[in-house]
């Protein structure tokens, strides 16, 4: 379904995110026929390009990032006709009058701040000074949304001085992933799971976002952020919310975000012995060498045990872990159910518990571990088998290539649907939970535990589980 005609301005249009993610996503939606007649995208940046130079840059980026679509030369050329450029200074007046001229009235007008947060204020001020805001104006901002609670509050205040909350789209690209949205469909579209989805039946939940990549090209940012700020405060927190929240009454922006916020606010502070930090090392790739700081204490891995103090979840721990340079790229949520209360098969049958694994990436799908009789044996011996479903197989060939997170998110901006974007209070609540953890490390002079590149993370993370009589499910 085509969206309404739009003007989308990308500040930072020559940057990596715009070229590597936003424009390829827009191009794929263009190829899918979602752009209305006359819609246009305007890159804006300080680089002194003219329109043709910018189009060339975009062409090259699409050729490397837009997959099979970029082989369709006719589509590529048609798309580039809709791409314009303005050389513009975010902190001065240069270029703004030209930008104003290119914008058309009575259209969705989206401004994508694909720039560092220090430019949010200056951009917002000029958008207002040049009277570029219309009732259909939307502002898109990227993470990192702040470095801590104080800076996030300041950013929210800056944006709030110029725009209404209903105009602000804070991106957490995990929410745009098909399989992440599927968490809500699985939970709230089935009768099967929800009655069991609580501390009475669930022993614990594991959320793993493992990456095999390092921090190439982002050393400076990462050294200041670390895994806690880069991944835990946002992506893992969002996954936790979607897994733990109460059913919203409707799939609408405030209903969903209210429920997520309640989860974050119900999180207990994390105890220092319930958290493990790690830093990768090894001959071929060492974090400290990568950032050029032999004494760096930034974590590239973090595992922790979280508790949600509410009726549904009291007593069920949530174990969260994420790290770089691990053995594989794998994002999985494991819902580990309790043992049956009594085994009619006697002690020989062993202990068996159901587990639901939701694979977010790669090999997207769901596996339910169920217990059945071991065939052919005398007596009644039990064995666990997987009831396995891959989304690609189940949904057929046309769904083999699910849309990238940015495709969904950018189109939702144009549609004016904020459901998959973070509200200001949500981001602040997430920082309010994260800040004391980081402050604790600083106060104690905590040094992350080394772990071998290509491993499953530091041994202490295994201990975190072992102490509780549990173990992590494999990363693969
Ligand atoms: C980003 C982080 O937000 O998410 C990166 O800044 C991380 O460090 C990336 O690599 C992971 O995203 P994805 O989509 O590859 O899982």
């Amino acid at each position: 379904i085509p969206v309404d005609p739009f003007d989308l301005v990308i500040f930072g249009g020559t940057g990596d995110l715009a070229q590597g993610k936003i424009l390829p996503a827009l191009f794929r939606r263009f190829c899918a026929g979602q752009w209305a007649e006359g819609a246009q995208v305007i890159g804006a940046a300080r680089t002194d390009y003219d329109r043709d130079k910018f189009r060339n840059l975009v062409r090259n980026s699409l050729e490397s990032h837009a997959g099979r679509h970029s082989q369709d030369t006719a589509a590529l050329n048609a798309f580039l006709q809709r791409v314009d450029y303005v050389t513009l200074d975010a902190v001065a007046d240069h270029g703004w009058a030209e930008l104003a001229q290119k914008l058309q009235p009575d259209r969705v007008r989206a401004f994508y701040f694909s720039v560092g947060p220090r430019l949010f204020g200056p951009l917002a001020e000029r958008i207002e000074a040049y009277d570029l805001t219309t009732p259909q104006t939307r502002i898109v901002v990227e993470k990192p949304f702040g470095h801590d609670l104080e800076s996030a509050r300041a950013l929210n205040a800056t944006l709030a001085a110029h725009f209404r909350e209903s105009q602000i789209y804070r991106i957490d690209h995990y929410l745009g992933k098909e399989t992440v949205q599927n968490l809500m469909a699985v939970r709230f579209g089935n009768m099967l799971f929800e009655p069991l989805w609580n501390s009475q039946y669930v022993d614990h939940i594991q959320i793993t976002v493992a990456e095999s990549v390092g921090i190439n090209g982002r050393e400076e940012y990462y050294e200041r952020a670390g895994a806690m700020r880069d991944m835990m405060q946002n992506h893992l927190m969002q996954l936790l919310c979607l897994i733990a929240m109460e059913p919203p009454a409707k799939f609408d922006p405030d209903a969903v975000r209210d429920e997520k916020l309640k989860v974050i606010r119900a999180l207990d502070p994390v105890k220092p012995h319930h958290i493990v930090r790690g830093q990768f090392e090894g001959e071929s790739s060492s974090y400290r060498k990568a950032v050029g700081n032999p004494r760096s204490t930034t974590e590239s891995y973090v595992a922790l045990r979280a508790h949600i103090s509410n009726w549904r979840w009291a007593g069920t721990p949530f174990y969260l872990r994420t790290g770089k340079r691990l053995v594989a790229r794998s994002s999985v949520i494991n819902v580990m159910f309790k043992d049956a209360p009594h085994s009619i098969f006697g002690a020989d049958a062993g202990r068996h518990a159901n587990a639901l694994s939701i694979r977010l990436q790669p090999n997207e799908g769901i596996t339910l571990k169920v217990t059945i009789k071991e065939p052919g044996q005398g007596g009644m011996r039990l064995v666990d088998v997987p009831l396995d479903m891959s989304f690609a197989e189940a949904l057929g060939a046309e769904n083999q290539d699910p849309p990238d997170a940015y495709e969904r998110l950018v189109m939702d901006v144009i549609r004016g649907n904020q459901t998959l974007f973070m509200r200001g209070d949500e981001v602040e609540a997430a920082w309010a939970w994260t800040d004391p953890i980081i402050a604790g490390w600083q106060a104690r002079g905590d040094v992350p535990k080394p772990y071998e590149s290509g491993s499953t993370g530091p041994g202490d993370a295994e201990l975190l589980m072992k102490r509780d009589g549990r173990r992590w499910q494999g990363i693969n």
Side-chain angles (χ1 to χ4, degrees):
I1 310 167
V3 294
D4 290 340
F6 61 85
D7 288 341
L8 170 64
V9 181
I10 309 178
F11 296 110
T14 53
D16 288 348
L17 181 73
Q19 296 294 321
K21 289 283 185 191
I22 308 168
L23 283 153
L26 283 162
F27 175 53
R28 281 192 292 262
R29 289 297 93 202
F30 177 80
C31 294
Q34 259 192 333
W35 280 42
E37 200 52 45
Q40 61 166 345
V41 47
I42 305 171
R46 271 217 321 237
T47 318
D48 191 12
Y49 276 173
D50 58 17
R51 189 174 63 189
D52 288 339
K53 262 200 178 156
F54 185 67
R55 284 182 177 172
N56 256 337
L57 179 73
V58 176
R59 181 190 293 278
N60 291 337
S61 301
L62 295 183
E63 279 166 2
S64 15
H65 296 286
R68 62 183 165 83
H69 293 293
S70 62
Q71 272 136 44
D72 183 345
T73 324
L76 190 58
N77 289 337
F79 176 76
L80 292 172
Q81 290 303 312
R82 311 277 198 98
V83 173
D84 205 342
Y85 184 75
V86 183
T87 305
L88 167 145
D89 196 336
V91 294
D93 287 320
H94 179 66
W96 286 87
E98 193 190 339
L99 175 62
Q101 265 181 5
K102 289 184 190 282
L103 297 172
Q104 304 163 75
D106 307 324
R107 290 190 159 202
V108 172
R109 186 175 285 183
F111 295 105
Y112 201 125
F113 290 11
S114 178
V115 295
R118 72 187 170 81
L119 293 180
F120 290 4
L123 285 174
E125 276 160 28
R126 280 179 181 74
I127 288 173
E128 195 166 310
Y130 282 84
D131 205 13
L132 304 184
T133 313
T134 65
Q136 296 256 69
T137 291
R138 282 143 214 180
I139 303 296
V140 189
V141 293
E142 275 287 339
K143 73 173 268 263
F145 196 84
H147 184 72
D148 52 18
L149 178 57
E150 198 188 329
S151 52
R153 276 192 180 140
L155 284 178
N156 275 334
T158 303
L159 293 174
H162 302 277
F163 311 106
R164 293 188 309 277
E165 179 63 31
S166 60
Q167 296 180 300
I168 303 170
Y169 292 72
R170 295 177 195 77
I171 290 207
D172 181 313
H173 80 282
Y174 266 57
L175 293 177
K177 289 181 190 272
E178 277 287 311
T179 45
V180 173
Q181 293 166 51
N182 216 356
L183 290 175
M184 283 183 278
V186 167
R187 281 194 62 196
F188 305 129
N190 293 287
M191 188 57 199
L192 195 58
F193 303 116
E194 202 48 28
L196 304 180
W197 212 259
N198 56 56
S199 60
Q200 200 180 339
Y201 299 103
V202 176
D203 177 72
H204 72 281
I205 290 180
Q206 305 183 7
I207 303 180
T208 298
V209 178
E211 295 188 276
S212 50
V213 293
I215 45 156
N216 304 347
R218 302 161 75 222
E219 290 77 7
E220 202 183 312
Y221 153 76
Y222 198 89
E223 180 65 352
R224 262 172 49 78
M228 192 71 195
R229 290 188 172 98
D230 183 50
M231 298 290 288
M232 190 63 83
Q233 185 270 348
N234 38 80
H235 304 326
L236 279 92
M237 179 69 82
Q238 290 296 324
L239 297 179
L240 173 72
C241 286
L242 296 179
I243 278 293
M245 72 184 184
E246 295 301 315
K250 280 189 259 172
F251 188 62
D252 88 7
D254 279 330
V256 171
R257 297 183 300 175
D258 285 347
E259 294 307 336
K260 289 198 293 168
L261 180 62
K262 284 185 210 161
V263 173
I264 306 177
R265 289 196 172 147
L267 278 168
D268 289 347
V270 180
K271 302 201 170 80
H273 62 284
H274 286 163
I275 187 155
V276 175
R277 299 167 80 213
Q279 196 183 58
F280 65 81
E281 63 162 34
E283 293 266 305
S284 57
S285 86
S286 128
Y287 180 83
R288 290 181 172 188
K289 273 193 205 139
V291 295
N293 175 4
R295 274 193 281 280
S296 168
T297 57
T298 300
E299 78 285 352
S300 59
Y301 175 101
V302 62
L304 58 83
R305 176 176 137 175
H307 284 270
I308 301 172
S309 279
N310 63 17
W311 269 61
R312 187 189 282 259
W313 292 119
T316 296
F318 288 73
Y319 298 89
L320 278 58
R321 64 176 166 168
T322 183
K324 303 259 183 221
R325 284 258 184 261
L326 295 176
V327 58
R329 172 172 187 253
S330 166
S331 300
V332 186
I333 298 177
N334 291 296
V335 181
M336 311 299 289
F337 290 91
K338 292 186 173 171
D339 292 1
H342 163 71
S343 169
I344 65 168
F345 307 111
D348 283 356
R351 292 183 55 186
H352 298 273
N354 299 120
L356 178 71
S357 301
I358 308 172
R359 295 186 300 279
L360 305 176
Q361 60 186 29
N363 313 324
E364 293 79 357
I366 292 182
T367 302
L368 180 63
K369 191 177 84 177
V370 288
T371 304
I372 59 167
K373 178 184 174 301
E374 196 172 48
Q377 301 290 331
M380 192 62 140
R381 294 175 68 92
L382 302 181
V383 62
D384 293 332
V385 291
L387 203 60
D388 206 357
M389 193 225 343
S390 120
F391 292 146
E393 274 172 31
L395 297 173
E398 67 277 18
N399 290 294
Q400 296 280 334
D401 191 11
D404 177 72
Y406 277 88
E407 292 179 52
R408 170 69 196 247
L409 295 176
V410 177
M411 286 298 123
D412 274 3
V413 170
I414 307 296
R415 285 191 199 97
N417 185 346
Q418 288 185 304
T419 310
L420 301 177
F421 297 83
M422 292 179 298
R423 211 168 53 191
D425 50 3
E426 221 184 310
V427 181
E428 288 184 17
W431 280 121
W433 178 76
T434 314
D435 274 5
I437 299 175
I438 297 173
W441 294 336
Q442 281 162 355
R444 292 192 301 276
D446 189 86
V447 177
K449 300 280 183 301
Y451 62 94
E452 196 64 34
S453 292
S455 71
T456 56
D460 282 22
E462 306 296 330
L463 282 179
L464 176 74
M465 281 284 202
K466 211 169 167 190
R467 281 203 307 259
D468 297 344
R470 301 182 173 113
R471 61 182 184 80
W472 292 106
Q473 300 294 294
I475 298 177
N476 49 41

